[in-house]
Amino acid sequence: MRKIIVFVFITSIGISYQSFSQSEIQSNDSEKLLVEWINHKIDSVVQKNNIPALSIGIIKNGHIIIEKGVGVLNRNHKQPATKHSMYQIASDTKKMTGAIVKNLVNEKTLELDKPIIHYLGDRIENQAKERLKNITLKHLLLHTSGLPYRQPTMTREDGEPMLKPYTEKLLLQDLNMVTLKSEPGAEFGYSNFGYAIAGYIGELASKKTYAELVQVYISKKYDMINTTIVLNSEQQKNLATPYRKEDRNKETSAFNMGKLSPAGGVYSTIHDLLKLMMLQMKVYANTNKNEQSNPLMLHENPTDKINGYGFGLGKKVFDSGIQYGHGGDMDGFASGYVFSPQYKSGVIILTSSGGRWVGQLEKEIFAKLTNQKYIPPKKSIALAFYNMILDTNLGTAKKWFEEHKTSNTYYLKEEEMNNVGYALLQQNKLNDALEVFNYNVELFPESANVYDSLGECYLKMNNTELALKNYKKSILINPENSNAKQVIEKIELEHKN
C-alpha cells in the first residue's frame, strides 16, 4: 500500500448569523477538544482506507470550526488538497436542482403541479404523452413519479466512469420508451432519471442551459464562485483526480453527464458548500417551516412528514432533533452533507475515492456534534470477500463467506458482489470472476442484472452459447434490458454470417 502524505489546513473562522448570540461562537476548551478529536478521526480514516484526497468542513454552534483538506489531488503530482479543491459532488447536486426549480417557480416560469408533458410538448410521442400524463414536476422532485432509478438506455457499467454525455436525443428516446414502476404519487422511488427530466424542463422553460441555471441561481446568488458544471482553467488545476473505490491506487475519471447533470454533475468545493449550509441553517432558524417557497428549504412530501425527501434534501428525525442532508457517490468522487438547525451544526465531506467509509465518518462526527450515541454500521461482506480472494484463494474465501454472510457484522448487496466479479475480470482472472458471477446468481436468482453480468463474463471467455442463455434469462426477468437485447442481436447476427 502506498503511503499517503497528509496535509492539514485548519481554520477557525467564526462565521455566524444574526440569530445566534456571540457567546455561542466563542472558542472554549470543549471546542478545542472536539476539533482535536475530529482531526484525529479524519487522519485515522484517511490512512486506514488509503484515501487520496478529502476536504472537510465542520460547523458547530453556528460557526465554522474546521475547513481543510487532507491528502493530495493526484498521487503522482502531490498537490495538497485544501478547502478550495474541486470535486464532483454526485447526487448532492440534487438539492441545487431543487433550488433552481423553486426559483423558476417563484418567477412564474414553472408550475409544480403542471404535468411534465405540458413542458415537453411535441418532443415526445403521443403514446409517451398518455403514459406520462399524470406525472407533475413536483412528483419528479419528490421522487414519487414512478420513473425508474436509471434511464432505459443506461449502458455504463458500475465502477466505470461515464465518458459519453447523455444527450437530449437519448433523453427524449428514453421518455418515449420508459415504463413506470408505479402510479405517480403512489410511492417513493429514488430516480436519477426523474431529476434529469426536471433539469431539462427547467432548461426548456427558462431558455437557459443547466450550466447557466447553476451560475444564475446558485453560484452568483449565493457567492459560490467555484460551484459549476463547466470548469475553467484555474478550476481544472484544483480538481482532484478520482480513484476507484475497489482499488484506490487506480485513477478513474470525472463523469461527463450531459443531460444527467441535474442528477449529479455539479462540481464544488468545501468553501462554497459551507456557505450554502450556513445559509440553509439560517433559513431554518428564522423561517416559518410551512413556507416552502424558499429555494433553500426542503419541500415536504405530503405522504411523509416525519422522515422524508423533497427537492434534493432528505429529512430524518433523530432522538433530539431533526437533521437534513444528502450525499452522493460516483464510483470515484463522493460527498456527504448533513446539518441540524437545532444544534446549528453540520458536516460536509468531499473526497476523490468514495465508499461506505464516507457515510460512516459523516455519521460519527455528526453524532459527536449533536450529542447522539453513535452505532457503528455493518461492514461490506463483498469487500471482505474480495480482499480474501486476493489474499488467499477463491475456495477459502467462499467458505469464509458462507460462515459469515448472516453475521450481524456484515451486510450483503447484490451490486457490490457484482463489482467483485468485475474487479476480477479487469485483472484477467476469468475463472475466479466466473465463479463469483455464478455465486451471485445463486444469491440473487430473481435479479436480471446478475444474469446480464454472468452473460458478459461468458462472452469474454468466448462461450457464446452460455452467454446467450444468461442474457436471455436476464430479459425474461427484465424485458426493458436494452443492453442484453443489443448483445443478443449482435451474437445472433454474427452466427448467421
Side-chain angles (χ1 to χ4, degrees):
M1 181 180 294
R2 184 176 297 175
K3 185 178 180 182
I4 294 178
I5 300 174
V6 178
F7 297 84
V8 179
F9 182 81
I10 305 175
T11 61
S12 185
I13 295 180
I15 296 174
S16 63
Y17 32 87
Q18 193 173 0
S19 63
F20 300 150
S21 68
Q22 288 298 309
S23 63
E24 288 180 305
I25 65 170
Q26 291 176 348
S27 178
N28 52 46
D29 289 341
S30 63
E31 185 175 288
K32 290 177 181 177
L33 289 172
L34 174 64
V35 169
E36 288 176 6
W37 179 86
I38 293 172
N39 283 330
H40 175 75
K41 175 60 63 177
I42 292 166
D43 291 345
S44 174
V45 167
V46 166
Q47 292 176 17
K48 178 182 177 182
N49 293 282
N50 189 27
I51 305 305
L54 173 149
S55 294
I56 188 164
I58 308 290
I59 300 170
K60 176 66 175 174
N61 292 330
H63 72 287
I64 298 170
I65 61 171
I66 292 178
E67 185 180 13
K68 71 175 187 177
V70 176
V72 292
L73 299 188
N74 183 284
R75 293 194 186 279
N76 296 321
H77 303 149
K78 308 299 184 187
Q79 180 183 347
T82 73
K83 64 180 180 179
H84 296 299
S85 297
M86 302 286 300
Y87 303 81
Q88 211 165 20
I89 66 172
S91 285
D92 204 17
T93 295
K94 289 183 175 69
K95 67 172 173 286
M96 298 184 187
T97 300
I100 288 167
V101 169
K102 277 196 177 182
N103 274 288
L104 294 175
V105 169
N106 291 341
E107 294 171 3
K108 311 299 184 185
T109 304
L110 291 174
E111 294 182 36
L112 289 177
D113 294 317
K114 186 162 281 189
I116 62 172
I117 60 172
H118 168 81
Y119 298 103
L120 296 169
D122 291 334
R123 292 174 182 84
I124 57 173
E125 298 168 357
N126 288 334
Q127 286 182 332
K129 288 179 184 179
E130 180 64 25
R131 199 164 53 247
L132 307 175
K133 66 181 180 181
N134 294 324
I135 299 176
T136 65
L137 187 56
K138 185 188 290 184
H139 287 141
L140 297 179
L141 294 167
L142 294 176
H143 287 310
T144 58
S145 65
L147 290 165
Y149 173 69
R150 293 174 171 173
Q151 68 278 18
T153 57
M154 179 69 178
T155 56
R156 181 187 71 86
E157 295 178 2
D158 287 338
E160 294 296 326
M162 183 174 179
L163 300 178
K164 293 182 179 180
Y166 187 56
T167 63
E168 180 180 21
K169 181 180 179 181
L170 284 173
L171 186 147
L172 294 174
Q173 177 183 322
D174 285 337
L175 279 167
N176 283 325
M177 67 187 291
V178 72
T179 300
L180 298 186
K181 297 171 64 179
S182 60
E183 285 297 312
E187 60 185 54
F188 180 88
Y190 193 90
S191 176
N192 283 322
F193 186 40
Y195 265 72
I197 298 166
Y200 178 62
I201 287 172
E203 289 182 318
L204 295 176
S206 67
K207 296 181 171 55
K208 292 182 174 68
T209 66
Y210 184 74
E212 290 170 335
L213 291 171
V214 170
Q215 286 298 310
V216 172
Y217 295 109
I218 305 296
S219 307
K220 292 179 180 178
K221 184 170 183 175
Y222 303 122
D223 190 29
M224 297 168 63
I225 61 172
N226 286 313
T227 298
T228 184
I229 291 292
V230 182
L231 300 172
N232 61 34
S233 57
E234 191 60 32
Q235 291 165 339
Q236 284 281 2
K237 293 176 185 176
N238 291 321
L239 177 65
T241 300
Y243 290 81
R244 291 182 180 273
K245 291 184 290 189
E246 77 279 2
D247 183 354
R248 294 202 167 99
N249 290 311
K250 186 173 183 180
E251 292 186 17
T252 182
S253 301
F255 280 35
N256 185 356
M257 301 192 76
K259 294 300 182 186
L260 273 174
S261 292
V266 163
Y267 295 88
S268 192
T269 68
I270 283 293
H271 189 64
D272 274 9
L273 292 176
L274 280 169
K275 291 181 182 180
L276 186 65
M277 183 176 280
M278 294 290 280
L279 287 168
Q280 284 186 305
M281 283 198 285
K282 182 178 180 180
V283 165
Y284 275 96
N286 297 334
T287 306
N288 185 321
K289 300 298 187 297
N290 295 319
E291 187 184 323
Q292 297 198 346
S293 62
N294 192 302
L296 296 183
M297 291 188 71
L298 171 145
H299 197 103
E300 296 283 358
N301 184 337
T303 63
D304 189 351
K305 294 286 187 181
I306 305 300
N307 297 310
Y309 184 102
F311 288 54
L313 203 60
K315 171 187 173 184
K316 182 179 179 181
V317 178
F318 59 98
D319 291 344
S320 53
I322 297 174
Q323 69 183 52
Y324 299 92
H326 211 298
D329 197 309
M330 303 183 80
D331 295 323
F333 289 120
S335 63
Y337 185 101
V338 61
F339 66 91
S340 164
Q342 178 180 339
Y343 285 89
K344 306 159 195 170
S345 299
V347 181
I348 306 173
I349 298 171
L350 299 178
T351 181
S352 59
S353 188
R356 286 180 65 87
W357 69 269
V358 179
Q360 183 176 342
L361 178 63
E362 175 199 274
K363 287 181 176 65
E364 192 166 359
I365 294 174
F366 187 73
K368 195 83 168 178
L369 294 174
T370 55
N371 303 318
Q372 297 181 69
K373 181 181 178 181
Y374 173 69
I375 302 173
K378 293 183 178 183
K379 300 176 183 178
S380 167
I381 196 169
L383 178 60
F385 180 53
Y386 174 68
N387 288 330
M388 189 164 286
I389 292 171
L390 298 184
D391 292 340
T392 58
N393 56 66
L394 185 60
T396 301
K398 284 181 71 173
K399 183 179 179 181
W400 175 89
F401 184 96
E402 287 297 324
E403 292 172 352
H404 291 84
K405 67 181 181 182
T406 57
S407 166
N408 288 330
T409 305
Y410 296 98
Y411 72 90
L412 172 62
K413 279 192 175 181
E414 169 207 321
E415 63 188 73
E416 292 186 1
M417 287 294 288
N418 227 36
N419 287 341
V420 172
Y422 280 115
L424 294 169
L425 267 186
Q426 288 164 4
Q427 298 170 55
N428 208 33
K429 297 182 178 181
L430 300 183
N431 291 327
D432 283 354
L434 179 63
E435 282 208 49
V436 169
F437 285 127
N438 269 308
Y439 197 23
N440 213 22
V441 166
E442 292 178 25
L443 292 167
F444 301 98
E446 303 303 317
S447 166
N449 189 49
V450 295
Y451 291 99
D452 186 290
S453 299
L454 180 56
E456 182 177 344
C457 186
Y458 275 122
L459 200 58
K460 290 196 175 184
M461 299 177 79
N462 297 315
N463 190 332
T464 54
E465 182 181 347
L466 288 177
L468 274 173
K469 178 182 176 182
N470 282 282
Y471 277 120
K472 288 178 178 179
K473 176 68 174 177
S474 178
I475 289 175
L476 281 175
I477 298 173
N478 176 21
E480 302 299 322
N481 187 345
S482 57
N483 176 65
K485 290 177 182 178
Q486 291 171 7
V487 175
I488 290 170
E489 287 175 6
K490 184 179 178 181
I491 293 173
E492 291 179 340
L493 183 63
E494 287 174 352
H495 275 217
K496 284 182 182 179
N497 296 334

